[in-house]
Amino acid sequence: QVTLRESGPALVKPTQTLTLTCSFSGFSLSASDMCVSWIRQPPGKALEWLALIGKNDDGYYSTSLRARLAISKDTSKNQVVLTMTNMDPVDTATYYCARIRGGSSSDGAFDIWGQGTMITVSS
Amino acid sequence: QSALTQPASVSGSPGQSITISCTGTSSDVGSYNFVSWYQQHPGKAPKLMIYEITKRPSGVSNRFSGSKSGNTASLTISGLQAEDEADYYCCSYLGSSTWVFGGGTKLTVL
C-alpha cells in the first residue's frame, strides 16, 4: 500500500524558513522512476504546484517560487524535505505531497496524495 | 507560468451531463498529453480522476471522461450524482519536470 504523510510546524512567523517533511511508504525513490512533488492550496483557493524530486538529486521548481524553494530527499528514511525561505502570510496554505511517475514511463498523474498539513504564517 | 483557465462554477441536475473546460496555451495543454483531472471534496486531499487526457485510474467510475482539442482539455461527467459535487482541478505538464494546475471549478449538483 502506498502512503504519503506530510509533517511540519503548524505556525511559522513571517520571514522565517519553513521546513516540511513528506514521509512515504510502498515505493522507492531510488529504485524506480517514482517522484514526489509538493503542491499547496491556500484556504479557499486553487492548487499550486511547487516542486518535484526523483531518482537523482535534481530538484525542479515553480518558476515563480524557485528562489525560495529547495527540495531534497533522504532515501534511507523514505523522506522528501521541502524548505521555503522568507515566509509571508500569503504562504498560508495546506501543503500536500504527492507521488508521480517520472522518466520514460511517466503518465503525468499525481496518483497518491498525502492528507496535507496546514501551515499558517503569522506573527 | 499562469494557472490554466477553468470556469469558476458549473452545475447540473442529477442524471444530467456536464463538461468542465481547462484552457491553456500551446506551451502546456497544447503541447503535451500529460493532462490530468482531480476531484476534491471539502477538507479532503485531491483524488486523481483522469490522466493522460482520457485514461481513468482503476476504481474511477466510467461516468468520468476526458478529452482535448488544441489548447483546451475537458472533463465530462455523465449521469450526475450527488456525490460528484466537489471542486475539480485540471493539471498540465509544462516541460522540464514542471507542472501547472487550473484555477479550479466548483461543481454543484442541483
Side-chain angles (χ1 to χ4, degrees):
Chain A
Q1 183 188 8
V2 174
T3 64
L4 301 97
R5 186 181 75 252
E6 307 87 351
S7 58
L11 179 67
V12 296
K13 290 180 167 49
T15 76
Q16 285 187 336
T17 293
L18 170 68
T19 299
L20 294 170
T21 300
C22 176
S23 302
F24 59 88
S25 64
F27 67 97
S28 169
L29 280 185
S30 61
S32 69
D33 286 335
M34 292 300 180
C35 303
V36 170
S37 258
W38 285 94
I39 296 151
R40 72 178 180 179
Q41 184 174 38
K45 296 188 177 181
L47 300 170
E48 179 183 17
W49 182 83
L50 299 177
L52 176 145
I53 193 165
K55 186 186 302 186
N56 57 31
D57 290 330
D58 294 337
Y60 302 89
Y61 302 99
S62 162
T63 54
S64 60
L65 292 168
R66 173 185 300 273
R68 299 174 52 207
L69 295 174
I71 191 169
S72 62
K73 61 184 171 68
D74 185 331
T75 302
S76 65
K77 293 183 179 179
N78 278 354
Q79 290 181 335
V80 170
V81 175
L82 181 75
T83 61
M84 180 180 291
T85 60
N86 194 24
M87 293 292 285
D88 183 271
V90 299
D91 297 313
T92 294
T94 295
Y95 287 75
Y96 295 99
C97 60
R99 185 184 78 162
I100 185 168
R101 188 184 302 275
S104 58
S105 61
S106 180
D107 56 12
F110 297 101
D111 63 343
I112 308 294
W113 295 62
Q115 84 279 8
T117 185
M118 178 65 191
I119 305 297
T120 301
V121 184
S122 175
S123 54
Chain B
Q1 176 62 43
S2 299
L4 306 174
T5 300
Q6 298 181 232
S9 63
V10 299
S11 62
S13 299
Q16 288 185 333
S17 294
I18 63 95
T19 297
I20 300 172
S21 61
C22 170
T23 301
T25 70
S26 57
S27 298
D28 40 62
V29 175
S31 287
Y32 303 101
N33 289 334
F34 289 157
V35 175
S36 51
W37 289 89
Y38 301 85
Q39 176 191 66
Q40 187 180 34
H41 287 109
K44 301 295 186 183
K47 174 188 176 183
L48 175 67
M49 303 302 285
I50 296 287
Y51 66 101
E52 288 188 78
I53 302 176
T54 62
K55 297 179 180 179
R56 275 179 291 105
S58 174
V60 171
S61 171
N62 59 10
R63 297 185 297 105
F64 291 82
S65 63
S67 63
K68 188 182 90 167
S69 177
N71 298 336
T72 298
S74 298
L75 173 71
T76 297
I77 309 174
S78 59
L80 267 181
Q81 299 179 0
E83 67 208 51
D84 300 332
E85 185 163 293
D87 294 328
Y88 291 85
Y89 294 91
C90 61
C91 179
S92 174
Y93 187 54
L94 286 173
S96 302
S97 296
T98 63
W99 304 84
V100 63
F101 282 91
T105 298
K106 179 176 181 61
L107 169 62
T108 301
V109 180
L110 302 170

